[in-house]
Amino acid sequence: MDETQDRYYSSSLPISLSHDDGERSYSNAQINRGNGISGLKKRGHGSRSWIKIGRDGNFQTVRLDKATIMRHCSLPSRDLRLLDPMFIYPSAILGREKAIVVNLEQIRCIITADEVILMNSLDGSVGQYRSELCNRLENEKADDLPFEFRALELALELTCTSLDSQVNELEMEIYPVLDELASSISTLNLERVRRFKGHLLALTQRVQKVRDEIEHLMDDDGDMAEMCLTEKKRRSDTYTVNDCFQTNASGRVISKSAPASPDQTISGVQMLQRAFSSIGNSSKHGSSMSSADNGERIEPLEMLLEAYFIVIDNTLNTLLSLKEYIDDTEDFINIKLGNIQNQLIQFELLLTAATLVAAVFAAVAGVFGMNFETTVFDYPSGFNLVLVITGIVCIALYFALLFYFRYKKVLAA
């Protein structure tokens, strides 16, 4: 009895331990789940590696978080999401008050009037952009374009060159496959063409998005004016200096911060007018200018965008031509397969007619093979004569069917 109880307690002990372990594992899972959520929250605000490139061509690798970049460049959080490698966004170029947000393929950067903040990665395009921009800033100091336009130009150049090289590589690979498929239809060739077509559609969407983005900027003078960061900074500095001092009627400069004398006291209406004038000048400086001045400011940028619009438009036309060639090849293959199917149907029709004639001949032979009394068997060659006549009738019936099919244009003449 004692041994039985010992076995019972010993067998029940692991059950209670497993129950405790289950509660402990459940609590650990909840803790790990909380840590995972908090880790995800911290990841959104964590620092990343960036490359800062100055006007003089010097660069340095730094770690910055979103909040620092947002304060430094006056950007909203949604603009920085375009540069996050964890998300997949189409190409975009956004002009803001103090920066240009660029997301072109693998080149993701923020361009200000004094520096470029480039997202650091192992992609070759990032290293090429950094080295090429540093070389241009060091060796081409006499360039008339502002700093932000030169940085944007290089991003467009590398993007258009990369897309064009991918299109040329795809074009060289797909034309031989299409020609081979047109001459020899096989499952392997069809699978290769299907894979190339998927790559072509994805590449077309990428090129189309870059082209649409450039076209959108060219059609909107306000967006192009927002991208003139050097000019806006110069005007802002000039406005700040002029706003710090004011000149009275006698020509003496008086600081705004100095206390006003009784004879210089102005009325409330004049103060209100000055406040409205200051607000109007500030908004005019930040966003809009006169039409003539605005046209002069955006003319270099418009010419730059137009040059790369032509390049990317030619690349898109090449892709569209390649897609048309694929569609023509598919139509040719469908026509060829349809022709083969028609030939098979005609051959099946001939076999059906021949089967009908043979069935008639077999029916006659089967009837005369039965045991019944007839005068045909009284003649030694009577049965042979019946077979010859039946064969002639069947052949005539077969040719009559062929003539009928050709008359109805079911068979080719």
Side-chain angles (χ1 to χ4, degrees):
M1 182 67 180
D2 296 336
E3 294 178 357
T4 305
Q5 291 178 354
D6 293 339
R7 285 197 300 268
Y8 173 77
Y9 288 127
S10 62
S11 62
S12 62
L13 182 59
I15 297 176
S16 61
L17 289 176
S18 62
H19 179 70
D20 295 338
D21 292 339
E23 293 181 351
R24 188 180 300 110
S25 61
Y26 177 76
S27 60
N28 291 336
Q30 295 294 330
I31 295 173
N32 292 333
R33 183 180 178 184
N35 293 334
I37 295 175
S38 62
L40 288 176
K41 291 181 179 179
K42 291 180 180 179
R43 189 185 305 173
H45 300 280
S47 60
R48 297 184 182 276
S49 178
W50 299 81
I51 301 176
K52 296 180 69 173
I53 305 174
R55 280 178 170 270
D56 53 356
N58 296 326
F59 71 94
Q60 59 177 342
T61 303
V62 296
R63 296 193 66 86
L64 302 173
D65 56 357
K66 277 189 175 182
T68 303
I69 298 176
M70 290 167 59
R71 288 194 303 267
H72 178 68
C73 302
S74 300
L75 293 176
S77 178
R78 62 178 178 272
D79 289 346
L80 293 183
R81 283 199 297 268
L82 295 175
L83 308 180
D84 197 333
M86 297 180 61
F87 301 98
I88 300 176
Y89 285 101
S91 298
I93 302 175
L94 304 178
R96 295 296 183 250
E97 182 65 26
K98 295 183 179 180
I100 302 174
V101 181
V102 178
N103 178 21
L104 294 175
E105 296 296 316
Q106 300 301 325
I107 301 177
R108 303 181 179 188
C109 62
I110 301 173
I111 303 174
T112 65
D114 298 321
E115 61 184 3
V116 175
I117 305 176
L118 175 66
M119 176 166 288
N120 193 8
S121 68
L122 300 178
D123 191 85
S125 300
V126 175
Q128 185 179 3
Y129 179 84
R130 175 188 57 77
S131 59
E132 185 66 24
L133 181 59
C134 292
N135 291 333
R136 292 188 181 185
L137 293 176
E138 292 175 357
N139 301 328
E140 301 177 7
K141 297 183 180 297
D143 199 332
D144 295 335
L145 285 176
F147 171 77
E148 65 273 11
F149 291 173
R150 298 173 68 181
L152 178 62
E153 179 185 13
L154 181 58
L156 290 172
E157 179 182 345
L158 294 180
T159 301
C160 293
T161 303
S162 175
L163 292 175
D164 188 65
S165 62
Q166 295 180 41
V167 170
N168 293 333
E169 182 179 356
L170 179 63
E171 188 177 11
M172 293 177 61
E173 291 179 355
I174 200 171
Y175 275 123
V177 176
L178 292 175
D179 295 338
E180 184 179 357
L181 179 62
S183 59
S184 175
I185 302 175
S186 63
T187 305
L188 179 60
N189 291 334
L190 288 174
E191 178 62 24
R192 294 170 63 187
V193 171
R194 185 192 65 82
R195 186 173 65 253
F196 282 133
K197 187 174 182 180
H199 187 194
L200 174 66
L201 293 178
L203 190 57
T204 302
Q205 292 178 357
R206 290 161 54 192
V207 174
Q208 181 73 49
K209 182 57 182 176
V210 175
R211 179 189 178 277
D212 293 343
E213 194 66 25
I214 297 177
E215 185 179 14
H216 172 73
L217 291 176
M218 293 174 57
D219 293 340
D220 196 332
D221 292 345
D223 289 344
M224 287 191 290
E226 286 288 336
M227 299 170 67
C228 301
L229 303 180
T230 302
E231 181 67 19
K232 288 196 296 183
K233 182 180 179 182
R234 185 185 65 82
R235 291 176 179 270
S236 177
D237 294 341
T238 304
Y239 175 77
T240 303
V241 172
N242 293 336
D243 193 48
C244 291
F245 298 97
Q246 62 179 356
T247 306
N248 60 2
S250 62
R252 184 165 49 91
V253 177
I254 302 176
S255 175
K256 281 188 174 182
S257 59
S261 59
D263 58 336
Q264 293 173 347
T265 304
I266 56 178
S267 63
V269 177
Q270 291 176 344
M271 292 178 63
L272 186 61
Q273 291 177 353
R274 179 175 297 176
F276 279 119
S277 177
S278 176
I279 295 174
N281 292 334
S282 177
S283 61
K284 182 183 296 184
H285 162 73
S287 60
S288 62
M289 300 293 294
S290 62
S291 59
D293 191 16
N294 195 24
E296 293 178 357
R297 289 169 53 200
I298 67 176
E299 183 177 359
L301 178 59
E302 187 174 6
M303 295 177 62
L304 186 150
L305 294 175
E306 185 177 358
Y308 288 100
F309 177 80
I310 295 174
V311 175
I312 201 67
D313 189 63
N314 291 334
T315 304
L316 182 61
N317 291 333
T318 303
L319 287 173
L320 295 179
S321 300
L322 189 58
K323 184 177 182 300
E324 290 179 359
Y325 190 81
I326 293 177
D327 293 339
D328 293 341
T329 304
E330 290 179 349
D331 294 339
F332 175 74
I333 292 173
N334 291 330
I335 293 173
K336 191 174 181 179
L337 293 176
N339 187 27
I340 295 175
Q341 186 178 7
N342 291 334
Q343 292 177 0
L344 292 176
I345 292 174
Q346 292 177 2
F347 183 71
E348 184 181 3
L349 186 61
L350 294 177
L351 289 179
T352 303
T355 303
L356 175 63
V357 172
V360 173
F361 186 83
V364 174
V367 168
F368 280 91
M370 296 180 181
N371 294 326
F372 63 92
E373 297 293 334
T374 178
T375 58
V376 176
F377 296 110
D378 295 338
Y379 302 94
S381 60
F383 185 69
N384 295 331
L385 182 62
V386 170
L387 293 179
V388 171
I389 294 175
T390 304
I392 293 174
V393 172
C394 290
I395 293 174
L397 177 62
Y398 182 75
F399 281 103
L401 289 175
L402 291 181
F403 178 77
Y404 176 78
F405 291 150
R406 289 182 178 179
Y407 175 75
K408 291 295 184 179
K409 296 182 179 180
V410 177
L411 294 176

